[in-house]
Amino acid sequence: MMLKPISVSFKLDDGREVTIETGKLARQANGSVTVRCGDAILLATVVAATEPKPGQSFFPLTVDYQEKFAAAGRIPGSFFKREGRISDYEVLISRLIDRALRPLFPENYFCEVQVIVNLISNDPEVQPDALACLAASAALAVSDVPIQEIISEVRVSRVNGEFVINPTTTQMKSSDMDFIIAATEKNIMMVEGEAKECQEEDMIVAIEKAHEAIRVQVKAQEELRAKAGVTTKREVPALYENDEVKNKVEAFAAARILEISRSGTSKHERGSAYKAVKEELMATFTEETPEEDLALAKRIFEDLMYYTVRNMILDEGRRLDGRRLDEVRPLEMEVDYLPAPHGSALFTRGETQSLSTVTLGTKDDEMLIETAGTSEYRTFYLHYNFPPFSTGEVKPQRGPSRREVGHGNLAKRSLEMMMPKDYPYTVRIVSDILESNGSSSMATVCAGSLALMDAGVLYPKHVGGVAMGLISRAADGKWAVLTDILGDEDHLGDMDFKVTGTREGICGIQMDIKVDGLSMDVMRSALEQAKRGRLHILDAMYACIPEHRADLKPQAPRIEQIIIDREFIGAVIGPGGKIIQEIQRETGTEINIEEVGETGVVKIFSNNGESLAKALSWIKGIVAVPEIGETYDSVVKSVMPYGAFVEFMPGKQGLLHISEVSWKRLESLDGVLSEGDNIKIKLVGLDPKTGKFRLSRKVLMEKPEGYVEQPERGERPERGERRERPERRDGERRERPERRPKEEKNAEGEA
């Protein structure tokens, strides 16, 4: 059997070639492709059920991205040595694909669809997340699964002032803007990324640059689909319709829904009122009413709510809670809310509330992030928790969901933009959402920034965030941008985008667009309105705590960091770790040493200032270079007949000769010095041959009256002139006198 793959290729701006191939791997899937760039290869497959499950009323799409460790020639580090549950890193890439694909399926398509993307070969210079959605879309393009449009996704970064599409790993290190953007040939679908305080117009330029590259990739997929001979998609059955049921629902509920929507009540009051109307409506149907009519009535009621609220916003400028379109809900914030954590803040915006804490840790608390191609430690991370009580619901808690991972990542990326470089602590932020009605991720950003300031982290400026929405109507081209959206407004809107940043610029963005034909003018207006909302929130944050605290909380661990020459690292650690373990044991501190280039970075942690100072002094003593002529406090370590060994600096010992102990001539040191005595000595020199320290105690004492200087120890009178040896002829050996036996010499008493 001959495998006949079909492939197409296109080039990136820098000349690298990307190849999409189908027909060779995973042929039993409804669609499968490989995407290759350099040595990186991704395999994407899609399989869809032929029939929806009975009673299915939503679209069950599952997207899983996973990296095979064999792709990089590595074995997983887990106990089982195999890939298991996908990591948070893989969850984030799965979400990038899911959010771009999901809006493109027909509204009435309820068959289960599973998209799986695997990295099967790794290239250290290729970022696989920028190719994952391209692979997924191409697999759908060559399948009969009824997605409505072809899309693709690219990374756009600003490197040295220039925008680069799908930059290499090396280029990424000097990037100050990093965004993943998904789009169809005509429309932007999704934006997510981070920046170091970029401006709104920079965002527009980045999106336009990305869209140009995406159009090339969409055409390549269309060419592949044509070569594969895929011309039709599965038929999607039309939704059941009944004009009689529709008219009945509208006549019964339309006016009442509008009245509730205009009331400006709270989330739960409004929800209860809608529910009561729906129950009354359903009670008007008899037991003989067919099941499909009952299901239709519920669907029409939901659609009626959807369009009623949208039209109210567009035609009346009125929102569900009575606010203006650009108005932020009331803000309440408080720092130092919890007494025990190292930093805490309570942030409340309307019916959304985050209680965030900051914990400062040591190097041992760093988080290991492993992918197929990388393994790195992070000293800054954020965990976001969304318990069911935050929305008044009862649900089992099964660990963090994909949504929690995604929301936490957005907040983490935004706050990290302002973290000081080389900050010696490991910093963990935890955001517990206590109430939710719209953009708890933005509440997390605000609460996290306040908590960092409260903890005394050297955080230079506040980072705030706001969630925006868009309502548009194709019939007359009318649109409205909403500031600080509610949960209901998020559900019924055409665009949900969250913007974080400082007063100076944008730090993070996450945008999901659900409408076709969104113009750049609308996006510019939305970004400008988001800026005004963000600045309003930042003003309130600065009023709460204008800058980071001058000192850490008393319960926070203290840290001292010193830089030493690399040659001293071994001296601080000692043989088998003996020295560093002794310092930690004696001082009760925790010490980490890391080699960085030609230096060693020493970090000392302790909750006790005195212990910290003691350990710091100890290490400084080890790495200090003794200076001739300096006086030192020393400790007698051992006493010998010829002198005493004293430690005058940590790890530095020398012999204090008996002749240097006192101006008096001493026959022994008995009664003069004992082990453990504290004495002062002076470093008077170094032995030129051995390099050993020459120490003296007597030079610090007053010289006795009439003292006569003796010749320095080791001086000998000059020798006479050396006589010449007689010359020898070549090969002649000089006769030596015969040696006598050792026993004979001893008997005669010769030395």
Side-chain angles (χ1 to χ4, degrees):
M1 181 177 63
M2 296 292 292
L3 300 177
K4 297 181 180 180
I6 301 166
S7 66
V8 297
S9 299
F10 62 89
K11 290 186 181 295
L12 299 174
D13 292 346
D14 60 3
R16 287 179 295 162
E17 187 174 57
V18 179
T19 301
I20 314 173
E21 182 180 278
T22 188
K24 189 171 184 177
L25 303 182
R27 291 171 301 148
Q28 294 190 45
N30 295 133
S32 70
V33 301
T34 58
V35 173
R36 177 168 186 164
C37 180
D39 288 339
I41 303 176
L42 291 92
L43 169 65
T45 63
V46 57
V47 177
T50 55
E51 296 290 338
K53 292 180 180 179
Q56 186 75 40
S57 59
F58 64 92
F59 175 44
L61 172 66
T62 303
V63 178
D64 287 316
Y65 170 85
Q66 189 171 41
E67 296 187 353
K68 301 297 183 181
F69 274 64
R74 298 179 61 200
I75 296 174
S78 68
F79 177 80
F80 296 104
K81 301 300 179 187
R82 68 174 297 168
E83 292 83 1
R85 177 182 179 273
I86 64 174
S87 66
D88 285 359
Y89 163 78
E90 292 163 323
V91 164
L92 294 171
I93 299 177
S94 300
R95 280 174 53 84
L96 290 175
I97 303 169
D98 185 305
R99 288 163 46 208
L101 293 179
R102 190 176 292 273
L104 298 175
F105 284 89
E107 186 179 352
N108 52 329
Y109 186 64
F110 299 136
C111 293
E112 188 170 6
V113 176
Q114 184 177 40
V115 177
I116 298 176
V117 183
N118 291 139
L119 176 70
I120 58 176
S121 180
N122 182 66
D123 186 326
E125 285 298 310
V126 176
Q127 300 283 320
D129 55 354
L131 301 172
C133 190
L134 165 61
S137 176
L140 284 161
V142 299
S143 76
D144 63 347
V145 178
I147 193 166
Q148 295 169 317
E149 294 187 69
I150 292 175
I151 68 166
S152 193
E153 211 169 69
V154 299
R155 166 177 270 110
V156 56
S157 297
R158 189 169 62 184
V159 181
N160 300 324
E162 298 292 329
F163 286 104
V164 180
I165 298 298
N166 289 359
T168 64
T169 303
T170 300
Q171 289 175 316
M172 287 287 296
K173 294 177 181 178
S174 54
S175 168
D176 65 351
M177 289 178 64
D178 176 27
F179 294 96
I180 294 283
I181 297 172
T184 66
E185 199 275 334
K186 295 181 180 179
N187 302 306
I188 301 296
M189 300 301 298
M190 193 264 316
V191 180
E192 178 159 334
E194 62 193 43
K196 295 178 180 177
E197 299 181 290
C198 76
Q199 301 306 304
E200 281 70 14
E201 191 58 35
D202 295 333
M203 275 295 316
I204 299 297
V205 175
I207 291 171
E208 291 175 336
K209 178 75 174 177
H211 204 180
E212 292 175 9
I214 287 171
R215 290 189 179 102
V216 174
Q217 300 185 11
V218 168
K219 287 181 180 178
Q221 294 178 66
E222 290 173 345
E223 182 183 350
L224 181 70
R225 181 174 62 183
K227 283 186 175 183
V230 177
T231 57
T232 59
K233 296 289 186 179
R234 297 180 190 179
E235 288 189 9
V236 180
L239 290 173
Y240 172 72
E241 299 292 347
N242 185 322
D243 290 340
E244 183 181 344
V245 173
K246 181 181 178 181
N247 294 334
K248 180 177 180 178
V249 173
E250 290 178 348
F252 183 89
R256 298 176 67 178
I257 289 174
L258 180 58
E259 182 183 358
I260 295 168
S261 302
R262 286 173 170 171
S263 64
T265 53
S266 68
K267 171 184 174 181
H268 287 292
E269 290 177 320
R270 188 168 58 250
S272 298
Y274 285 141
K275 183 179 178 182
V277 173
K278 186 176 181 180
E279 289 174 350
E280 291 179 32
L281 168 66
M282 299 311 296
T284 63
F285 292 92
T286 65
E287 294 182 0
E288 289 76 23
T289 303
E291 284 295 327
E292 57 267 28
D293 283 347
L294 293 177
L296 175 61
K298 293 177 182 178
R299 176 164 60 84
I300 293 174
F301 182 85
E302 296 295 330
D303 289 346
L304 191 57
M305 288 175 53
Y306 176 84
Y307 288 107
T308 297
V309 176
R310 287 171 61 90
N311 291 333
M312 180 185 75
I313 293 172
L314 290 172
D315 296 333
E316 303 177 22
R318 183 196 296 266
R319 299 174 65 176
L320 286 169
D321 59 357
R323 278 182 294 149
R324 300 187 309 274
L325 300 184
D326 62 350
E327 185 178 353
V328 177
R329 286 173 288 178
L331 299 169
E332 293 287 340
M333 51 196 79
E334 182 179 348
V335 295
D336 200 19
Y337 183 75
L338 301 174
H342 301 157
S344 63
L346 180 66
F347 178 88
T348 307
R349 187 190 61 243
E351 295 176 297
T352 298
Q353 186 176 74
S354 168
L355 176 61
S356 290
T357 58
V358 168
T359 305
L360 304 179
T362 68
K363 184 176 177 59
D364 292 341
D365 298 309
E366 292 178 352
M367 177 188 285
L368 175 62
I369 303 295
E370 283 195 299
T371 68
T374 63
S375 180
E376 62 180 10
Y377 286 91
R378 289 183 182 171
T379 58
F380 181 84
Y381 46 94
L382 184 150
H383 293 143
Y384 165 100
N385 300 313
F386 193 84
F389 64 76
S390 64
T391 54
E393 297 176 284
V394 178
K395 291 181 181 178
Q397 296 196 83
R398 297 286 186 265
S401 65
R402 291 191 176 194
R403 178 184 178 277
E404 288 171 288
V405 172
H407 280 40
N409 180 65
L410 173 61
K412 174 257 178 187
R413 296 171 75 172
S414 301
L415 292 170
E416 192 172 24
M417 288 295 101
M418 289 295 105
M419 277 298 294
K421 289 185 178 180
D422 302 321
Y423 192 60
Y425 288 97
T426 296
V427 179
R428 180 191 185 221
I429 301 175
V430 177
S431 172
D432 290 301
I433 303 304
L434 308 184
E435 291 184 52
S436 179
N437 183 17
S439 192
S440 53
S441 62
M442 295 299 94
T444 295
V445 172
C446 299
S449 182
L450 293 166
L452 286 166
M453 293 285 194
D454 179 56
V457 174
L458 303 179
Y459 209 61
K461 56 183 78 171
H462 275 303
V463 177
V466 64
M468 309 294 292
L470 174 72
I471 306 294
S472 63
R473 191 163 56 202
D476 56 5
K478 201 168 185 179
W479 54 272
V481 175
L482 311 180
T483 298
D484 182 21
I485 57 173
L486 303 171
D488 290 339
E489 292 170 339
D490 182 7
H491 169 69
L492 58 86
D494 296 323
M495 179 169 66
D496 165 30
F497 68 106
K498 305 174 179 71
V499 185
T500 71
T502 65
R503 284 171 168 167
E504 284 67 40
I506 294 172
C507 291
I509 191 167
Q510 185 181 89
M511 183 183 301
D512 293 298
I513 302 168
K514 314 166 193 175
V515 64
D516 292 342
L518 182 68
S519 71
M520 286 297 135
D521 289 337
V522 173
M523 193 167 290
R524 282 188 177 90
S525 176
L527 285 170
E528 183 57 36
Q529 190 167 317
K531 180 179 180 180
R532 295 197 301 270
R534 184 177 83 244
L535 294 177
H536 170 78
I537 294 171
L538 284 168
D539 287 344
M541 293 170 65
Y542 277 104
C544 178
I545 179 168
E547 60 184 9
H548 65 77
R549 296 193 187 279
D551 195 12
L552 305 179
K553 299 288 183 68
Q555 65 271 28
R558 292 316 195 254
I559 183 172
E560 285 286 349
Q561 177 174 298
I562 58 172
I563 308 298
I564 63 175
D565 289 337
R566 187 173 64 176
E567 62 187 78
F568 287 116
I569 294 177
V572 176
I573 295 174
K578 178 181 177 182
I579 301 299
I580 194 170
Q581 290 173 12
E582 181 184 5
I583 298 173
Q584 292 180 121
R585 183 175 59 253
E586 294 295 327
T587 63
T589 59
E590 181 180 333
I591 303 171
N592 297 118
I593 303 178
E594 183 178 5
E595 186 176 327
V596 180
E598 296 299 316
T599 64
V601 179
V602 184
K603 298 178 181 179
I604 311 167
F605 300 86
S606 177
N607 287 328
N608 184 288
E610 186 177 339
S611 298
L612 190 71
K614 183 178 179 182
L616 181 63
S617 175
W618 195 327
I619 293 173
K620 283 184 175 179
I622 294 174
V623 302
V625 178
E627 296 184 25
I628 296 174
E630 284 294 315
T631 301
Y632 297 95
D633 292 320
S634 62
V635 178
V636 177
K637 291 295 184 180
S638 60
V639 179
M640 299 295 177
Y642 48 83
F645 286 97
V646 299
E647 185 177 61
F648 61 94
M649 292 175 65
K652 304 288 190 303
Q653 289 191 19
L655 173 65
L656 177 63
H657 193 268
I658 192 171
S659 63
E660 295 294 333
V661 174
S662 172
W663 292 108
K664 296 179 181 179
R665 180 179 178 82
L666 301 174
E667 297 297 332
S668 74
L669 294 179
D670 291 342
V672 179
L673 291 178
S674 301
E675 186 176 327
D677 284 354
N678 295 309
I679 61 173
K680 283 187 177 294
I681 58 92
K682 185 175 183 179
L683 177 60
V684 295
L686 292 173
D687 189 299
K689 292 183 178 179
T690 65
K692 293 182 178 180
F693 301 114
R694 293 175 57 193
L695 310 177
S696 178
R697 180 186 182 222
K698 70 181 184 181
V699 296
L700 301 176
M701 301 176 178
E702 188 177 349
K703 186 184 297 186
E705 189 175 343
Y707 180 82
V708 179
E709 293 283 353
Q710 299 293 326
E712 287 191 21
R713 182 172 60 88
E715 283 190 3
R716 291 186 291 182
E718 292 186 4
R719 295 179 177 180
E721 192 173 311
R722 192 173 183 178
R723 67 183 177 85
E724 294 184 3
R725 294 178 178 178
E727 293 185 3
R728 289 182 292 173
R729 291 189 297 273
D730 291 344
E732 183 181 21
R733 298 183 62 183
R734 186 172 71 244
E735 295 293 331
R736 294 184 179 181
E738 185 178 344
R739 291 186 177 183
R740 284 173 290 180
K742 187 175 181 180
E743 294 79 10
E744 184 179 344
K745 290 200 302 181
N746 291 342
E748 295 178 5
E750 292 182 10

